[in-house]
Amino acid sequence: MAAFDYVKPPSLESLINDYAQAKSEGAILAGGTDLLVKIRSGLVSRRVLFDINDLHEMKGISDEGDSLRIGAATRICDVADSNVVQSTVPFLSLAASQLGSPQIRNRATVGGNIVSASPAADTVLPLIAMGARLRFGSQGGNREVSIEKFMEGPGQTDIREDEVLIGVVVPKLSNGCKSHFIKVGRRKAVAISVVNIAGWIKTDRTGVIEDVRLVLGAVAPTAIRAGETETFLRGKRPNEVVLKEAARITAGQSSPISDIRGTQKGRRLLVEAWTFRLLQILMTQNEAN
Amino acid sequence: MIGDFVVKGKYVGAEVDRVDAIGKVTGETKYADDLRLPNMHYGKILFSPYPRARVLHIDTRSAEALHGVRKIITAKDISGNNLYGYEIHHHPLLVGEGQETRFVGDSIALVVAETPEAADQALENIEVDYEVLTPLTSPREAKAEGAYQIHPGSQGNICCRPELIHGDIAAGFKNSEVIVEHTYFTSRQEQAFLETESGVAYVDDSGMLHIFSSLQDPYDVLEDVCYALGIPKSRIHVKGTIVGGAFGGKLITTIEVHLAAMVYLARVPVKIVLDREESFIFHPKRHPDEIHVKVGSTRDGKIQALEAEVLSDAGPYSGRTPEVLGLTVSALVGPYGIPSVHLTGQAIYTNNLDSGAMRGFGAPQAAVARESILDKLAGTLEMDPLELRQKNFLKPGQETLSPVLGDSPVSLELLKDQILEKMGPLPEVSPEQNKRVGRGFCFDMPVFDVSAIPVLGKSGVGIAVEIFSDASACVYAGGTELGQGITTVLAQIAAEELGLPINKVFVEMSDTWTCPRAGRTSASRLTYVLGNALLLATEKIRNTLLSRAAKMLEVSKDELILENGKIKAKGSPSKGVGLQEVATVCSNEGLKLREEGWFKYPEDRYMYGHTFMASAADVVVDLVTGEIKILKLVNIHDSGKVINPILAKGQLYGGSLQALGYALTENLIVEEGKLITPSFSEYLIPTAMDIPEEFVADAVETPYPTGPYGAKGLAEHALNSTTPAILNAISNAVDIDLTTIPVYPEHILEAIRAKETDHQ
Amino acid sequence: MSHHNIYLMVNGKRYSLEVESDRSLLDVVREDLNLTGIKKGCDKGDCGACTVLLNGKPVNSCMVLAVQADGKEITTIEGVARDGKLDPIQVAFIKHGAVQCGFCTPGMILTAWALLRENREPMREEIQKAISGNLCRCTGYVQIIDAIQSAARVSRVNNE
């Protein structure tokens, strides 16, 4: 492993200052499950790592009325097990509970899952579907940006050199919304997603879809909203034909690549198949709240 | 069916705890990487970054100058042959200047340093100029006319070309009313043992080289070290440590020749531990095969002819390929009686990763092709696949075509009855769920090595047993404990035979200094060959003890029995003497209490014994998503007498899950000769979540006349038979042909769509 | 590379040591504390062979820097048996044939141990999920799951 220094800043303020000073030679160390692998394999090289694990400003889940605030250093297992997440953004907890292995979930953090910017990152999908906003701190002050805008490509984000992700603000699902997350892996646990899908849906009393969000992972340079599908579904009364058509439209919006986990053609088939299944589940699910 | 020579002893046949379990559950067991020697240095290997390149120049000066670096070794430092390899010594220890690399696991230089970090730094500082050459990465391309020869003189890059002919194949097809044929593609499978290749070595004051490493065959390592480095065999001691899984991947010498070169040239003790990526690149995998198979049958399902061609990717070195492909070819016949057979195989050298032994040893590939084409034939005949198999089962007394020992009672009918009973009725799903259930079968005739003649000349398989004056005993067995439980099996047999409590029996394994030669730990052979050798050795010791006790007790030796640490007269239980007392007397009188047993099969040819195996799977396939769920998986074997039922079940479950991975998840991808799935996050072996909902393992025990207590070998079985059972179940559920493994859900969706398009 | 003075509470025993910033907890426990029961299977967080309990939770020790564990409680396989007496999980692993090559066993047992502390009566599926990060290539997991279920029963009886 390439050698690096380790610093554990005593406060958020000193983290921000030290990190800014280190410029591109510094990295934030949270769970380490992604960063340390990359450092060891030589993909990433940094002179100094700043450990944020004990910074209380960056940890924990707080209920702020219409939204939840989740610290960047909050562990994935805590999101998966959190009662408030389960009851207000259930598909986020579902996604968290399927990320990596139990050992990984006990270390990995929400912030890490976001800033590593993998197109297959499981928690990012429900966060996009909820229109979550990311809060950054820097010497220049705080900045908020929507997670959808933040993601630019595989490993590419809009983050600035001196910025630290402090947390994420996640709007709660409104009453009557139903949500779901599906992970398609090559095995039933500890698998990087070949395709993942998150969505929520809101229907009116007559069963007509008022609003819907559908986010696809691992089939484009970043996780993407299936906007055409959303438009198509709004105002429709879902039946099998409608859902099939929605699934077909969704597959068309994906632009997967072929890699070790799947081919382009195979991924399109999976997107279509699992979108249909996800919508089916959403339509038949009991109301989450 | 149980013959009177099969006993249910106190230990044999009982659910005895593993004798090596306590160290393993407490963490006290020392694996190779847990060993530490005074002044131990760390060895690292510089591997070729290119599958094929000419090494023009190696500059080690800056690496040598680094702090903490003890020695850098290149080909010109090696005074021996600098070559090793099983049977054919064409694997270079180090590829030198002017020579070509043959794959990305070839070694260019060795580093010995004080710390792993210094060794890593040195690797980076070795400068090598390569002339990068175009590799041969497909067997078709490599065997084409004009392709360069990976080994000079290997015409068409042919590694081997086995053939099995029986009867008149032309007549067989002529007599056939229905002929089906198809091509199947099997993937490269990684053994994925959890303990990577590792070892420590040192030279002692007397000049003896000691190697402690994770291996399957200490004798073969000794041969390789001698040949490659020119060290006399009498100066080499190899001890196999407790192995953290091998599955064939450690069957040929792994890092031991490298380690020996480092120790000899750097003159310090050295440890090598490969990292996971190095391990994936370094050891040979299961051969990826393309198998074209054609079968002819009468309309009522009597198979008349079987023809097949296997094209196998040998990788860069011969290794075990000739044996593996030989078994693939003969296993294509399986447990069936077929009057005419023409089977050929070609293994072709390529610059891909190396191919060699993996659990099943070529038979799993054959079983995929054989059992898939049988289901296809059944479909064409509109016959129940099980009925088709049953009609063609090998009959008792019928001669087998592969070079096997023809004295094994055939129990296929019994296995079929048992598996049907265990499977029960096919589960139902309601049609509106868009799911289909299917059931698949596979019957197999896994072989086990009874002779080991290619390894040992004609010497047979040896074991030694010593009983000490305190009535404790030690077995010295040259096999290796890989996790399969052979240590326990031998302890059970020795305790049974010597009338000792099992905690007084110790088993030392895999040591060329203390154990007589026993050959490799593979081919499901150890229970049979070492068990038989052990019976011969214990018989001699029993004789000594009983003869001496007969004098002490003044009765005839024939009246004495040995049990619970006592020698007693059969009729009068009061008349007896403690074993310890007898052993002490024997010891004081200089009677021989260490005996060797040598088991050798009467025929001097390479030979297998055969066992029988049946697997069945119920799956449910989601027509919308292609998702496959395995509802039930049943494996039943007949490997003769089961010495330890818990261990036997473990072999079935473990082999079966490896086969499930082979069918559904495992895919080692090599592109342009380079491995692009070098980790456990890319090469996916099944987790605890991936096991079937209901997983059953059981045995039918038909005693084997020549086996110890009637036992045969058991280890590889379920790997052969599970994959086809799963594939056939999926095919059966959704009525599609599967030709390539692993099968992914989208393949099923594609096939379903293609079928729908055809129908429209 | 920075050096750090840290202390670790390992299996109830306090160790003070100086570590370099880039060393993993796995390497420090194996090399410096000579507790070699935990195994290095991949060094990338993929296999679970290096599982230790960090403040009671299973983690891959290859993915934790030793310096990050400063002041924390660590349980390794060596800390599972108490006063020379095997834990019911260890006994059950032996009785049920849950051990083959043994390389995954220490991590598997620690994960199971943590599970049974949180859940005294786990269903089979809960056990499967809990151990899904501990790869085993030998056993097919069945006997491991059996052993954990059986150990849970024994522990419940012992505690009643």
Side-chain angles (χ1 to χ4, degrees), chain B residues 207-211 218 221-227 229-239 260 264 511-513:
Chain B
M208 177 66 76
L209 168 66
H210 301 269
I211 299 174
V221 164
L222 192 146
E223 300 281 341
D224 273 335
V225 170
C226 165
Y227 189 86
L229 302 174
I231 302 169
K233 289 183 183 175
S234 56
R235 297 281 84 193
I236 307 168
H237 164 217
V238 182
K239 162 84 182 151
Y264 249 72
D511 192 326
T512 61
W513 255 13

mmCIF file of all heavy atoms in Angstrom, chain B residues 207-211 218 221-227 229-239 260 264 511-513:
data_model
loop_
_atom_site.group_PDB
_atom_site.id
_atom_site.type_symbol
_atom_site.label_atom_id
_atom_site.label_comp_id
_atom_site.label_asym_id
_atom_site.label_seq_id
_atom_site.Cartn_x
_atom_site.Cartn_y
_atom_site.Cartn_z
ATOM 1 N N GLY B 207 22.760 -27.920 5.973
ATOM 2 C CA GLY B 207 22.559 -27.752 4.534
ATOM 3 C C GLY B 207 21.250 -28.339 4.034
ATOM 4 O O GLY B 207 21.002 -28.387 2.831
ATOM 5 N N MET B 208 20.423 -28.777 4.944
ATOM 6 C CA MET B 208 19.132 -29.339 4.535
ATOM 7 C C MET B 208 18.137 -28.215 4.282
ATOM 8 O O MET B 208 17.976 -27.324 5.115
ATOM 9 C CB MET B 208 18.619 -30.263 5.651
ATOM 10 C CG MET B 208 17.265 -30.869 5.406
ATOM 11 S SD MET B 208 17.204 -32.030 4.024
ATOM 12 C CE MET B 208 17.973 -33.461 4.755
ATOM 13 N N LEU B 209 17.480 -28.291 3.140
ATOM 14 C CA LEU B 209 16.461 -27.312 2.797
ATOM 15 C C LEU B 209 15.107 -27.793 3.330
ATOM 16 O O LEU B 209 14.672 -28.901 2.999
ATOM 17 C CB LEU B 209 16.387 -27.154 1.275
ATOM 18 C CG LEU B 209 15.203 -26.384 0.706
ATOM 19 C CD1 LEU B 209 15.243 -24.919 1.113
ATOM 20 C CD2 LEU B 209 15.171 -26.508 -0.819
ATOM 21 N N HIS B 210 14.486 -26.977 4.140
ATOM 22 C CA HIS B 210 13.168 -27.314 4.680
ATOM 23 C C HIS B 210 12.128 -26.390 4.058
ATOM 24 O O HIS B 210 12.262 -25.175 4.131
ATOM 25 C CB HIS B 210 13.135 -27.125 6.197
ATOM 26 C CG HIS B 210 14.140 -27.960 6.935
ATOM 27 N ND1 HIS B 210 13.861 -29.216 7.400
ATOM 28 C CD2 HIS B 210 15.436 -27.709 7.265
ATOM 29 C CE1 HIS B 210 14.941 -29.712 8.010
ATOM 30 N NE2 HIS B 210 15.912 -28.809 7.925
ATOM 31 N N ILE B 211 11.104 -26.979 3.487
ATOM 32 C CA ILE B 211 10.013 -26.190 2.904
ATOM 33 C C ILE B 211 8.721 -26.562 3.625
ATOM 34 O O ILE B 211 8.372 -27.743 3.703
ATOM 35 C CB ILE B 211 9.854 -26.489 1.395
ATOM 36 C CG1 ILE B 211 11.127 -26.121 0.640
ATOM 37 C CG2 ILE B 211 8.644 -25.757 0.821
ATOM 38 C CD1 ILE B 211 11.107 -26.530 -0.825
ATOM 39 N N PRO B 218 3.541 -33.252 -1.571
ATOM 40 C CA PRO B 218 4.901 -32.905 -1.157
ATOM 41 C C PRO B 218 5.970 -33.610 -1.993
ATOM 42 O O PRO B 218 7.053 -33.060 -2.194
ATOM 43 C CB PRO B 218 4.959 -33.360 0.305
ATOM 44 C CG PRO B 218 3.872 -34.358 0.458
ATOM 45 C CD PRO B 218 2.806 -33.950 -0.509
ATOM 46 N N VAL B 221 6.557 -31.760 -5.241
ATOM 47 C CA VAL B 221 7.303 -30.527 -4.964
ATOM 48 C C VAL B 221 8.784 -30.844 -4.847
ATOM 49 O O VAL B 221 9.643 -30.162 -5.400
ATOM 50 C CB VAL B 221 6.776 -29.854 -3.676
ATOM 51 C CG1 VAL B 221 7.761 -28.806 -3.163
ATOM 52 C CG2 VAL B 221 5.409 -29.225 -3.923
ATOM 53 N N LEU B 222 9.082 -31.917 -4.143
ATOM 54 C CA LEU B 222 10.479 -32.319 -3.965
ATOM 55 C C LEU B 222 11.145 -32.592 -5.323
ATOM 56 O O LEU B 222 12.268 -32.137 -5.588
ATOM 57 C CB LEU B 222 10.523 -33.560 -3.072
ATOM 58 C CG LEU B 222 11.868 -33.986 -2.518
ATOM 59 C CD1 LEU B 222 11.688 -34.589 -1.126
ATOM 60 C CD2 LEU B 222 12.542 -35.020 -3.400
ATOM 61 N N GLU B 223 10.437 -33.295 -6.182
ATOM 62 C CA GLU B 223 10.972 -33.580 -7.528
ATOM 63 C C GLU B 223 11.240 -32.282 -8.280
ATOM 64 O O GLU B 223 12.286 -32.113 -8.910
ATOM 65 C CB GLU B 223 9.957 -34.402 -8.350
ATOM 66 C CG GLU B 223 9.578 -35.737 -7.764
ATOM 67 C CD GLU B 223 10.622 -36.823 -8.003
ATOM 68 O OE1 GLU B 223 11.449 -36.643 -8.914
ATOM 69 O OE2 GLU B 223 10.621 -37.810 -7.248
ATOM 70 N N ASP B 224 10.274 -31.374 -8.218
ATOM 71 C CA ASP B 224 10.398 -30.122 -8.970
ATOM 72 C C ASP B 224 11.556 -29.259 -8.459
ATOM 73 O O ASP B 224 12.295 -28.677 -9.239
ATOM 74 C CB ASP B 224 9.088 -29.318 -8.889
ATOM 75 C CG ASP B 224 8.091 -29.714 -9.967
ATOM 76 O OD1 ASP B 224 8.525 -30.226 -11.026
ATOM 77 O OD2 ASP B 224 6.885 -29.512 -9.762
ATOM 78 N N VAL B 225 11.696 -29.186 -7.148
ATOM 79 C CA VAL B 225 12.771 -28.372 -6.568
ATOM 80 C C VAL B 225 14.128 -28.946 -6.979
ATOM 81 O O VAL B 225 15.046 -28.222 -7.361
ATOM 82 C CB VAL B 225 12.632 -28.294 -5.030
ATOM 83 C CG1 VAL B 225 13.871 -27.663 -4.405
ATOM 84 C CG2 VAL B 225 11.383 -27.513 -4.650
ATOM 85 N N CYS B 226 14.229 -30.245 -6.927
ATOM 86 C CA CYS B 226 15.476 -30.913 -7.325
ATOM 87 C C CYS B 226 15.789 -30.626 -8.786
ATOM 88 O O CYS B 226 16.897 -30.224 -9.128
ATOM 89 C CB CYS B 226 15.335 -32.418 -7.088
ATOM 90 S SG CYS B 226 16.595 -33.388 -7.923
ATOM 91 N N TYR B 227 14.786 -30.782 -9.655
ATOM 92 C CA TYR B 227 15.022 -30.632 -11.090
ATOM 93 C C TYR B 227 15.357 -29.186 -11.450
ATOM 94 O O TYR B 227 16.299 -28.917 -12.188
ATOM 95 C CB TYR B 227 13.796 -31.105 -11.870
ATOM 96 C CG TYR B 227 14.054 -31.173 -13.360
ATOM 97 C CD1 TYR B 227 14.626 -32.314 -13.925
ATOM 98 C CD2 TYR B 227 13.746 -30.102 -14.201
ATOM 99 C CE1 TYR B 227 14.884 -32.379 -15.289
ATOM 100 C CE2 TYR B 227 14.006 -30.155 -15.557
ATOM 101 C CZ TYR B 227 14.569 -31.302 -16.105
ATOM 102 O OH TYR B 227 14.835 -31.359 -17.450
ATOM 103 N N LEU B 229 16.416 -26.668 -9.544
ATOM 104 C CA LEU B 229 17.538 -25.980 -8.885
ATOM 105 C C LEU B 229 18.774 -26.846 -8.725
ATOM 106 O O LEU B 229 19.816 -26.368 -8.269
ATOM 107 C CB LEU B 229 17.083 -25.465 -7.503
ATOM 108 C CG LEU B 229 15.876 -24.519 -7.535
ATOM 109 C CD1 LEU B 229 15.418 -24.186 -6.125
ATOM 110 C CD2 LEU B 229 16.212 -23.239 -8.300
ATOM 111 N N GLY B 230 18.657 -28.115 -9.071
ATOM 112 C CA GLY B 230 19.817 -28.989 -8.968
ATOM 113 C C GLY B 230 20.208 -29.306 -7.531
ATOM 114 O O GLY B 230 21.363 -29.613 -7.247
ATOM 115 N N ILE B 231 19.254 -29.228 -6.615
ATOM 116 C CA ILE B 231 19.540 -29.594 -5.228
ATOM 117 C C ILE B 231 19.294 -31.099 -5.075
ATOM 118 O O ILE B 231 18.263 -31.601 -5.526
ATOM 119 C CB ILE B 231 18.618 -28.804 -4.263
ATOM 120 C CG1 ILE B 231 18.808 -27.300 -4.470
ATOM 121 C CG2 ILE B 231 18.871 -29.198 -2.816
ATOM 122 C CD1 ILE B 231 17.759 -26.443 -3.761
ATOM 123 N N PRO B 232 20.220 -31.827 -4.463
ATOM 124 C CA PRO B 232 19.994 -33.277 -4.323
ATOM 125 C C PRO B 232 18.714 -33.562 -3.546
ATOM 126 O O PRO B 232 18.399 -32.862 -2.576
ATOM 127 C CB PRO B 232 21.216 -33.759 -3.533
ATOM 128 C CG PRO B 232 22.228 -32.679 -3.640
ATOM 129 C CD PRO B 232 21.496 -31.395 -3.879
ATOM 130 N N LYS B 233 18.004 -34.580 -3.961
ATOM 131 C CA LYS B 233 16.740 -34.921 -3.285
ATOM 132 C C LYS B 233 16.952 -35.201 -1.806
ATOM 133 O O LYS B 233 16.088 -34.918 -0.974
ATOM 134 C CB LYS B 233 16.113 -36.140 -3.953
ATOM 135 C CG LYS B 233 15.560 -35.844 -5.328
ATOM 136 C CD LYS B 233 14.876 -37.055 -5.926
ATOM 137 C CE LYS B 233 14.409 -36.719 -7.333
ATOM 138 N NZ LYS B 233 13.843 -37.883 -8.027
ATOM 139 N N SER B 234 18.112 -35.749 -1.486
ATOM 140 C CA SER B 234 18.383 -36.095 -0.087
ATOM 141 C C SER B 234 18.583 -34.855 0.784
ATOM 142 O O SER B 234 18.658 -34.947 1.995
ATOM 143 C CB SER B 234 19.633 -36.960 -0.007
ATOM 144 O OG SER B 234 20.708 -36.279 -0.628
ATOM 145 N N ARG B 235 18.693 -33.711 0.160
ATOM 146 C CA ARG B 235 18.894 -32.454 0.906
ATOM 147 C C ARG B 235 17.614 -31.611 0.940
ATOM 148 O O ARG B 235 17.668 -30.422 1.229
ATOM 149 C CB ARG B 235 20.032 -31.627 0.276
ATOM 150 C CG ARG B 235 21.399 -32.276 0.306
ATOM 151 C CD ARG B 235 22.051 -32.144 1.689
ATOM 152 N NE ARG B 235 21.615 -33.196 2.603
ATOM 153 C CZ ARG B 235 21.812 -33.185 3.917
ATOM 154 N NH1 ARG B 235 22.422 -32.173 4.479
ATOM 155 N NH2 ARG B 235 21.393 -34.163 4.668
ATOM 156 N N ILE B 236 16.496 -32.213 0.568
ATOM 157 C CA ILE B 236 15.241 -31.456 0.530
ATOM 158 C C ILE B 236 14.218 -32.131 1.443
ATOM 159 O O ILE B 236 13.995 -33.340 1.347
ATOM 160 C CB ILE B 236 14.659 -31.388 -0.898
ATOM 161 C CG1 ILE B 236 15.698 -30.857 -1.888
ATOM 162 C CG2 ILE B 236 13.399 -30.513 -0.927
ATOM 163 C CD1 ILE B 236 15.292 -31.030 -3.350
ATOM 164 N N HIS B 237 13.641 -31.338 2.290
ATOM 165 C CA HIS B 237 12.563 -31.825 3.157
ATOM 166 C C HIS B 237 11.335 -30.955 2.901
ATOM 167 O O HIS B 237 11.396 -29.742 3.048
ATOM 168 C CB HIS B 237 13.005 -31.720 4.626
ATOM 169 C CG HIS B 237 11.880 -31.820 5.612
ATOM 170 N ND1 HIS B 237 11.838 -31.078 6.775
ATOM 171 C CD2 HIS B 237 10.751 -32.580 5.617
ATOM 172 C CE1 HIS B 237 10.730 -31.372 7.451
ATOM 173 N NE2 HIS B 237 10.056 -32.270 6.766
ATOM 174 N N VAL B 238 10.245 -31.595 2.491
ATOM 175 C CA VAL B 238 9.023 -30.841 2.224
ATOM 176 C C VAL B 238 7.946 -31.270 3.205
ATOM 177 O O VAL B 238 7.683 -32.460 3.384
ATOM 178 C CB VAL B 238 8.516 -31.066 0.779
ATOM 179 C CG1 VAL B 238 7.261 -30.233 0.524
ATOM 180 C CG2 VAL B 238 9.603 -30.735 -0.229
ATOM 181 N N LYS B 239 7.361 -30.282 3.842
ATOM 182 C CA LYS B 239 6.269 -30.565 4.790
ATOM 183 C C LYS B 239 5.054 -29.755 4.359
ATOM 184 O O LYS B 239 5.123 -28.524 4.269
ATOM 185 C CB LYS B 239 6.731 -30.165 6.201
ATOM 186 C CG LYS B 239 5.619 -29.974 7.220
ATOM 187 C CD LYS B 239 5.174 -31.267 7.855
ATOM 188 C CE LYS B 239 4.014 -31.061 8.837
ATOM 189 N NZ LYS B 239 3.149 -32.238 8.931
ATOM 190 N N ALA B 260 12.363 -21.959 -2.783
ATOM 191 C CA ALA B 260 13.643 -22.652 -2.607
ATOM 192 C C ALA B 260 14.775 -21.847 -3.241
ATOM 193 O O ALA B 260 15.862 -21.718 -2.663
ATOM 194 C CB ALA B 260 13.561 -24.046 -3.218
ATOM 195 N N TYR B 264 17.936 -20.416 -1.097
ATOM 196 C CA TYR B 264 19.287 -20.857 -1.457
ATOM 197 C C TYR B 264 20.188 -19.706 -1.829
ATOM 198 O O TYR B 264 21.347 -19.655 -1.445
ATOM 199 C CB TYR B 264 19.219 -21.873 -2.608
ATOM 200 C CG TYR B 264 19.615 -23.237 -2.124
ATOM 201 C CD1 TYR B 264 18.753 -23.953 -1.302
ATOM 202 C CD2 TYR B 264 20.853 -23.790 -2.438
ATOM 203 C CE1 TYR B 264 19.106 -25.186 -0.806
ATOM 204 C CE2 TYR B 264 21.220 -25.029 -1.947
ATOM 205 C CZ TYR B 264 20.343 -25.728 -1.138
ATOM 206 O OH TYR B 264 20.697 -26.945 -0.637
ATOM 207 N N ASP B 511 4.576 -35.187 5.004
ATOM 208 C CA ASP B 511 5.940 -34.846 5.379
ATOM 209 C C ASP B 511 6.889 -35.842 4.707
ATOM 210 O O ASP B 511 6.844 -37.027 4.991
ATOM 211 C CB ASP B 511 6.066 -34.908 6.908
ATOM 212 C CG ASP B 511 7.358 -34.304 7.404
ATOM 213 O OD1 ASP B 511 8.387 -34.424 6.689
ATOM 214 O OD2 ASP B 511 7.351 -33.732 8.502
ATOM 215 N N THR B 512 7.746 -35.341 3.830
ATOM 216 C CA THR B 512 8.624 -36.262 3.094
ATOM 217 C C THR B 512 9.693 -36.872 3.999
ATOM 218 O O THR B 512 10.329 -37.840 3.620
ATOM 219 C CB THR B 512 9.318 -35.564 1.905
ATOM 220 O OG1 THR B 512 10.128 -34.487 2.405
ATOM 221 C CG2 THR B 512 8.311 -35.020 0.904
ATOM 222 N N TRP B 513 9.883 -36.306 5.168
ATOM 223 C CA TRP B 513 10.868 -36.872 6.093
ATOM 224 C C TRP B 513 10.318 -38.051 6.881
ATOM 225 O O TRP B 513 11.015 -39.000 7.144
ATOM 226 C CB TRP B 513 11.316 -35.788 7.086
ATOM 227 C CG TRP B 513 12.675 -35.267 6.789
ATOM 228 C CD1 TRP B 513 13.382 -35.466 5.642
ATOM 229 C CD2 TRP B 513 13.503 -34.482 7.641
ATOM 230 N NE1 TRP B 513 14.595 -34.834 5.724
ATOM 231 C CE2 TRP B 513 14.689 -34.220 6.938
ATOM 232 C CE3 TRP B 513 13.344 -33.958 8.923
ATOM 233 C CZ2 TRP B 513 15.728 -33.471 7.476
ATOM 234 C CZ3 TRP B 513 14.376 -33.207 9.454
ATOM 235 C CH2 TRP B 513 15.555 -32.962 8.750
#
